Amino acid sequence: MLTKVFGSAVFGVEATTITVEVNIDKGVGYHLVGLPDNAIKESNYRIAAALLNNGYKIPGKKITINMAPADLRKEGSAYDLTLALGILTASGQIQSNDLEKYLIMGELSLDGSLQPIKGALPIAIKAREEGFMGFILPKDNAKEAAIVSDLKVYGVENIKEVIDFFDKDEPLERTIVDTRAEFYKKLDFPEFDFSDVKGQESIKRCMEIAAAGGHNIILIGPPGSGKTMLAKRLPSILPPMTLHEALETTKIHSVVGKIKNMGLMSQRPFRSPHHTISDVALVGGGAYPQPGEISLSHNGVLFLDELPEFKRGVLEVMRQPLEDREVTISRARFTVTYPSSFMLVASMNPSPGGYFNDPDAPVTSSPAEMQRYLGKISGPLLDRIDIHIEVTPVPFEKLSEDRKGESSVKIRERVTAARELQTARFKELENVHYNAQMNTKQIREYCQLDEASKLLLKNAMERLNLSARAYDRILKVARTIADLEMSEKVSGPHISEAIQYRSLDREGWLG
């Protein structure tokens, strides 16, 4: 007899419903069709052992299983439970009329217990869209799927529970999550706080501006000057994620299986990949495309420590995602797009030896060595970084002070107020939420200058030999500085402060 069971496949961050058709006929054989990968082809061994250990069996007949749509590549071991229930129903070992009302996913162990799956959240969103009554999946993923309202989510530990639910009407325990309450309960403050930072007032100011406008920033300074310490504290002053951002971020982390038992993410991601990373690991891709580090840091911070140590090719592939805030991975059969709207925070030493223009430095580098070192970072990539700031070592007097610096909570309040101004300003625009996302047309509209400010900017452009893109960056940063002061107009002081944050554009920076 023929039975239909429903599962799901994830492409990019969206899910597609898969119909598993099981037909049992006279004869012998096990035929699995519909472009399954090796993990699915091996499922019959796992299913056979799991059923046997729970008092059921795979019938010794001709079993044909089709995974439709048949031209779509299916991958992973999450279809074990779907296939097992299809076989049991088609062979008459269990009776159920409700099987088609549920979406069922899970990987089986040999004793019938269920292992967690990837992509539970996008699958649950799709299940609700398509009108399924419920979603049955491993217990470890239940909290994540239950974020989706108006869908009954059942987390199970063993295949026997699912069989008894359909065959004997034994109830399953429903997982219920109050998404809003859960989300706001988790909005606590991170472990790293700006009050721990001694001195470095100008750098803290820069970080505040970067956080308020979502600007990319690069910190340049000798070893031990506090670049990494400052970067790690940046997420603590970013405004809290909105519910929409949290859902978007959780979806991406769900696809790579990083959400188990967590439910909704409430902290902005902070990703810090090592400089030996490959371009595929950074941007995403592979034979079966997966999100890379830039997508995992969506709505958060991507920190690249020691920027010139990264392979040049790796840094160059970031240029387009930085501009478009999404990355498209194309393969012969399909194309997937991952969101990648992140804040880039980079740090670097000013020279290979780490010390720059310091007569007492233990290691000095020749100008040629320094040029070669800085040449690893291309001009177009630096152009996409709004704020360049030099970090100097903290003197002993500051380090030994007992006075605590301003806390992250206070800085965050100012940042959030500036972001709220921007949200109100861009409310009519679909893809623009803060200053760093403005395009040229919006910059002209929202960053209008008086004659004195124009002259100031003109002189700076000519003297520093800045590109058109750098001109736009200065205006965006000046707009953010004005927002922090709650000023409607961008004026001279805002422009001159923004010009200061283009260190790497200054002629003779290499001395």
Side-chain angles (χ1 to χ4, degrees):
M1 87 186 242
L2 176 70
T3 298
K4 284 185 183 180
V5 198
F6 294 95
S8 195
V10 177
F11 293 94
V13 287
E14 302 301 328
T16 304
T17 302
I18 302 293
T19 308
V20 175
E21 301 170 318
V22 183
N23 188 61
I24 295 184
D25 214 341
K26 287 176 188 168
V28 178
Y30 183 90
H31 309 287
L32 182 56
V33 294
L35 287 184
D37 73 347
N38 283 339
I40 301 173
K41 285 175 187 169
E42 291 166 354
S43 64
N44 62 321
Y45 301 111
R46 291 190 294 273
I47 292 166
L51 293 184
L52 207 58
N53 287 323
N54 284 279
Y56 297 88
K57 64 180 187 350
I58 288 188
K61 292 185 176 180
K62 184 183 175 187
I63 301 171
T64 307
I65 301 173
N66 176 40
M67 303 179 80
D71 61 344
L72 206 63
R73 183 98 182 139
K74 328 296 182 304
E75 58 185 72
S77 50
Y79 298 98
D80 292 0
L81 185 60
T82 327
L83 298 172
L85 283 168
I87 290 166
L88 287 173
T89 313
S91 61
Q93 293 179 70
I94 64 171
Q95 305 293 324
S96 176
N97 300 320
D98 292 338
L99 204 58
E100 293 184 18
K101 295 177 185 172
Y102 292 86
L103 202 137
I104 302 164
M105 296 291 281
E107 178 190 330
L108 284 172
S109 292
L110 300 187
D111 62 353
S113 58
L114 290 168
Q115 301 295 328
I117 62 169
K118 290 179 180 177
L121 180 56
I123 293 170
I125 291 168
K126 190 69 177 174
R128 183 182 64 183
E129 257 176 47
E130 304 230 323
F132 283 99
M133 188 195 287
F135 181 17
I136 296 170
L137 77 169
K139 197 157 197 164
D140 283 357
N141 300 109
K143 244 182 134 176
E144 174 190 341
I147 292 168
V148 180
S149 53
D150 305 328
L151 178 73
K152 290 177 182 171
V153 173
Y154 301 103
V156 288
E157 288 179 344
N158 195 289
I159 189 172
K160 190 84 175 83
E161 294 173 47
V162 189
I163 293 169
D164 291 346
F165 173 68
F166 285 115
D167 195 31
K168 299 174 184 168
D169 287 333
E170 287 192 14
L172 285 174
E173 192 185 335
R174 185 178 168 189
T175 306
I176 298 171
V177 172
D178 183 342
T179 311
R180 286 180 182 279
E182 193 85 0
F183 175 64
Y184 292 113
K185 188 176 77 185
K186 281 191 194 166
L187 285 178
D188 54 339
F189 294 102
E191 52 183 318
F192 299 114
D193 197 288
F194 266 101
S195 60
D196 308 329
V197 181
K198 306 279 187 187
Q200 304 289 30
E201 300 308 323
S202 61
I203 318 300
K204 285 187 200 168
R205 166 74 176 162
C206 258
M207 289 287 196
E208 187 180 327
I209 294 165
H215 301 289
N216 302 324
I217 181 170
I218 184 165
L219 308 168
I220 310 137
S225 55
K227 303 186 294 293
T228 307
M229 182 181 76
L230 285 156
K232 280 187 176 165
R233 279 158 179 72
L234 182 63
S236 71
I237 61 167
L238 286 170
M241 280 207 280
T242 62
L243 200 53
H244 174 70
E245 283 178 327
L247 267 168
E248 225 177 18
T249 311
T250 308
K251 213 167 159 185
I252 298 165
H253 286 252
S254 169
V255 170
V256 288
K258 291 187 185 291
I259 298 291
K260 290 171 205 143
N261 279 328
M262 252 175 70
L264 199 61
M265 287 175 70
S266 59
Q267 298 294 346
R268 290 186 182 273
F270 179 86
R271 307 289 299 181
S272 178
H274 192 258
H275 61 254
T276 53
I277 192 169
S278 69
D279 48 1
V280 170
L282 185 70
V283 176
Y288 303 125
Q290 286 277 295
E293 287 291 335
I294 63 171
S295 296
L296 292 172
S297 51
H298 179 62
N299 289 326
V301 175
L302 177 68
F303 177 47
L304 302 183
D305 203 1
E306 301 305 339
L307 192 65
E309 299 300 334
F310 283 80
K311 294 192 278 287
R312 187 175 173 126
V314 171
L315 295 177
E316 292 307 299
V317 292
M318 271 177 42
R319 278 159 54 172
Q320 179 257 336
L322 272 171
E323 203 73 20
D324 298 345
R325 301 192 176 269
E326 62 179 27
V327 57
T328 302
I329 296 154
S330 298
R331 293 288 174 268
R333 284 177 170 272
F334 57 86
T335 299
V336 293
T337 300
Y338 295 112
S340 61
S341 180
F342 59 91
M343 254 184 85
L344 174 66
V345 180
S347 77
M348 61 181 277
N349 295 327
S351 63
Y355 298 89
F356 174 59
N357 279 357
D358 184 353
D360 306 321
V363 184
T364 52
S365 308
S366 69
E369 283 176 323
M370 288 175 64
Q371 279 282 223
R372 196 161 50 245
Y373 180 72
L374 290 169
K376 288 184 178 180
I377 309 164
S378 68
L381 182 67
L382 277 179
D383 259 356
R384 285 168 169 80
I385 298 175
D386 303 357
I387 298 173
H388 311 158
I389 187 75
E390 289 174 62
V391 185
T392 50
V394 183
F396 177 76
E397 294 73 37
K398 288 271 187 195
L399 279 176
S400 54
E401 265 184 5
D402 287 335
R403 189 172 64 85
K404 277 214 158 203
E406 194 177 19
S407 74
S408 290
V409 181
K410 280 203 172 144
I411 302 172
R412 184 191 248 190
E413 281 169 10
R414 292 197 296 270
V415 167
T416 307
R419 280 279 179 108
E420 281 166 1
L421 262 184
Q422 294 163 44
T423 306
R425 180 184 302 136
F426 303 128
K427 67 176 184 291
E428 303 296 323
L429 304 167
E430 197 183 329
N431 296 319
V432 184
H433 306 290
Y434 46 84
N435 291 337
Q437 294 175 324
M438 286 192 288
N439 62 27
T440 312
K441 183 182 167 199
Q442 287 140 11
I443 292 169
R444 299 289 171 272
E445 187 180 340
Y446 299 114
C447 308
Q448 289 174 0
L449 305 178
D450 56 31
E451 286 308 313
S453 304
K454 274 185 190 164
L455 190 63
L456 176 70
L457 191 50
K458 179 174 179 274
N459 291 338
M461 292 282 294
E462 286 168 0
R463 198 171 301 159
L464 301 177
N465 196 20
L466 299 178
S467 68
R469 195 183 265 120
Y471 169 77
D472 283 351
R473 299 286 184 230
I474 288 170
L475 286 175
K476 284 183 188 181
V477 173
R479 177 68 269 173
T480 303
I481 296 167
D483 288 342
L484 277 166
E485 289 179 8
M486 298 291 152
S487 162
E488 206 173 302
K489 286 205 163 96
V490 178
S491 58
H494 306 142
I495 292 286
S496 49
E497 187 178 351
I499 292 165
Q500 284 176 15
Y501 303 140
R502 300 294 301 179
S503 297
L504 293 178
D505 293 331
R506 287 214 294 273
E507 229 175 276
W509 189 78
L510 287 165

